[in-house]
């Protein structure tokens, strides 16, 4: 029975898309890592709680197939702010988030870095 569970998880991992724009934060990549950890011995891995394993698979399958998105369709594809799903995807990309980290610095910290002869890394030591 563990072999069939393992194959189902592998199939789900194959179908789950990987987003390159979310490096080190992608759910598909995390799913692959967790399946590799949980099934270290492949089909021969003993499963201590088969019921919890099946429940986890069903939950992930519902996320993957957009079960609730299809069950409860939205009237509009935007949020109350007017931001579309594509805009959110662009904003949450790793490169954009790194750029925004620089903007989060306070005025005092930016001025100190600008006029300081030391590098900020040396300042924290």
């Amino acid at each position: 029975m563990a072999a069939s569970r393992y194959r189902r998880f592998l199939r789900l991992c194959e179908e789950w898309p990987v987003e390159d724009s979310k490096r080190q934060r992608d759910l598909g990549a995390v799913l692959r890592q967790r399946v590799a950890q949980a099934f270290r011995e492949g089909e021969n891995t003993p499963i201590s709680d088969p019921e919890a394993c099946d429940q986890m698979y069903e939950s992930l399958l519902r996320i993957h197939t957009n079960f609730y998105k299809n069950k409860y369709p939205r009237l509009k594809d935007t949020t109350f702010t007017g931001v579309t799903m594509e805009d959110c995807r662009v904003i949450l990309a790793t490169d954009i988030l790194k750029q925004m980290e620089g903007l989060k610095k306070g005025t005092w910290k930016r001025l100190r870095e600008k006029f300081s002869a030391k590098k900020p890394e040396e300042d924290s030591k």
Side-chain angles (χ1 to χ4, degrees):
M1 194 66 171
S4 65
R5 285 185 178 91
Y6 176 67
R7 281 188 234 115
R8 288 191 314 174
F9 273 102
L10 281 182
R11 194 174 325 111
L12 183 65
C13 287
E14 289 172 4
E15 294 173 3
W16 203 289
V18 175
E19 288 189 47
D20 294 329
S21 66
K22 294 183 181 179
R23 290 182 297 275
Q24 300 174 346
R25 300 179 303 115
D26 181 42
L27 185 59
V30 171
L31 176 65
R32 286 167 178 75
Q33 290 172 352
R34 297 287 295 268
V35 168
Q37 287 174 353
F39 293 96
R40 286 190 185 108
E41 298 174 24
E43 293 182 353
N44 299 326
T45 303
I47 298 175
S48 60
D49 192 358
E51 197 170 297
C53 181
D54 292 340
Q55 187 177 13
M56 180 65 72
Y57 173 77
E58 294 298 326
S59 297
L60 289 169
L61 186 63
R62 283 193 297 270
I63 293 171
H64 175 63
T65 58
N66 292 322
F67 176 81
Y68 291 106
K69 180 183 177 186
N70 297 331
K71 185 175 180 179
Y72 304 106
R74 297 176 56 127
L75 300 176
K76 297 180 182 179
D77 286 337
T78 60
T79 63
F80 73 96
T81 60
V83 178
T84 64
M85 188 169 66
E86 187 57 37
D87 292 338
C88 287
R89 185 172 285 128
V90 170
I91 290 169
L92 292 174
T94 302
D95 297 335
I96 300 296
L97 290 176
K98 283 183 181 177
Q99 289 176 3
M100 292 181 76
E101 281 296 317
L103 300 175
K104 286 183 180 179
K105 293 179 182 175
T107 305
W108 177 251
K109 190 169 185 174
R110 276 187 274 149
L111 285 173
R112 192 175 71 191
E113 286 177 1
K114 186 174 184 179
F115 294 112
S116 175
K118 293 189 242 178
K119 293 181 180 175
E121 297 88 36
E122 294 173 5
D123 211 19
S124 63
K125 290 181 182 175

